[in-house]
């Protein structure tokens, strides 16, 4: 089943986000390579493709896991969690309808 993982950034987390990004992307690439990643990306903190020093307000990942507990465990082990980028993470089942 698909699960939506939404991380909400702490204020002023851009430096920590930048430092943890390679490890974060490596985990996402592993999901992609296994055919388990539907989409992933950050929420810019301002209405711009590249928010520059304004940074990001969070991230959204939609990926396939065996169950909710597996999705929560994967999300809890994210490098952004360990680096203190996220102040909170929400994991919920997701049903893709369109496209």
């Amino acid at each position: 089943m698909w699960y939506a993982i939404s991380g909400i950034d702490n204020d002023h987390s851009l430096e920590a986000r930048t430092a943890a990004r390679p490890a974060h992307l490596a985990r996402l690439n592993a999901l992609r390579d296994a055919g388990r990643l539907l989409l992933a990306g950050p929420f810019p903190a301002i209405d711009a493709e590249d928010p520059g020093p304004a940074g990001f307000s969070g991230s959204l990942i939609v990926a396939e896991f065996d169950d909710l507990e597996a999705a929560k465990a994967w999300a809890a082990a994210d490098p952004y969690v360990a680096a203190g980028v996220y102040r909170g993470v929400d994991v919920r089942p997701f049903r893709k309808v369109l496209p």
Side-chain angles (χ1 to χ4, degrees):
M1 179 163 195
W2 296 109
Y3 293 88
I5 301 169
S6 181
I8 305 301
D9 283 21
N10 280 303
D11 291 338
H12 312 293
S13 61
L14 183 58
E15 186 176 322
R17 176 183 271 272
T18 301
R21 189 169 190 261
H24 173 76
L25 290 179
R27 294 178 83 234
L28 291 173
N29 286 330
L31 286 176
R32 181 202 61 207
D33 294 348
R36 297 174 43 208
L37 183 65
L38 183 63
L39 64 90
F43 298 118
I46 60 173
D47 189 12
E49 182 75 21
D50 178 359
F56 300 91
S57 62
S59 303
L60 175 65
I61 299 163
V62 179
E64 186 177 35
F65 295 93
D66 290 337
D67 54 37
L68 182 58
E69 291 309 310
K72 286 181 176 183
W74 187 92
D78 192 289
Y80 282 176
V81 172
V85 174
Y86 293 152
R87 66 177 157 90
V89 178
D90 181 53
V91 181
R92 293 185 278 169
F94 178 81
R95 188 173 142 224
K96 183 178 183 290
V97 175
L98 293 171

